[in-house]
Amino acid sequence: MKGNGPKARLALRLKLTDRDDDLWELVAWWVPVSPANPLGVKYRFAFVPFGERRPAVLYDNHAPKGPHKHLAGREEPMYFDGLVALRAEFELDVQTWKKTVGKRK
């Protein structure tokens, strides 16, 4: 961030490889509330299957789109109800992907 104003603070950083060698990377920052960041948080949660380069499940909230997710080549808006709920929904979408799309590979 520029200037001497409030700074972003790390809220969550998690990067791991699961038992299937798939990559999970969850990062969130508390940021000053502004027109570009009305929620006061910026996040990017990505699930990248082993051997792939692009996320199969991606949640982010960059401006001007706000909270949205990318699933199976689709992008859809979503409601942000806090980081705990967001993480739970993300994990559910990843598990759904693993049970459906992941088994077809």
Side-chain angles (χ1 to χ4, degrees), residues 77-91:
M78 55 188 301
Y79 177 74
F80 179 80
D81 194 26
L83 289 175
V84 172
L86 184 75
R87 182 172 174 178
E89 186 174 343
F90 176 77
E91 290 177 4

Side-chain angles (χ1 to χ4, degrees), residues 1 5-11 29-32 42:
M1 302 187 76
K7 303 289 184 198
R9 293 179 295 121
L10 185 64
W29 294 86
W30 297 117
V31 297
K42 293 287 293 174

Side-chain angles (χ1 to χ4, degrees), residues 18-65:
D18 66 18
R19 68 174 184 247
D20 299 319
D21 289 326
D22 299 327
L23 176 67
W24 297 60
E25 186 170 22
L26 290 72
V27 180
W29 294 86
W30 297 117
V31 297
V33 173
S34 70
N37 296 303
L39 301 173
V41 64
K42 293 287 293 174
Y43 61 84
R44 182 179 187 277
F45 291 5
F47 167 75
V48 182
F50 177 74
E52 299 291 325
R53 297 182 75 182
R54 293 178 160 249
V57 179
L58 175 67
Y59 283 28
D60 63 336
N61 70 330
H62 61 79
K65 294 181 182 181

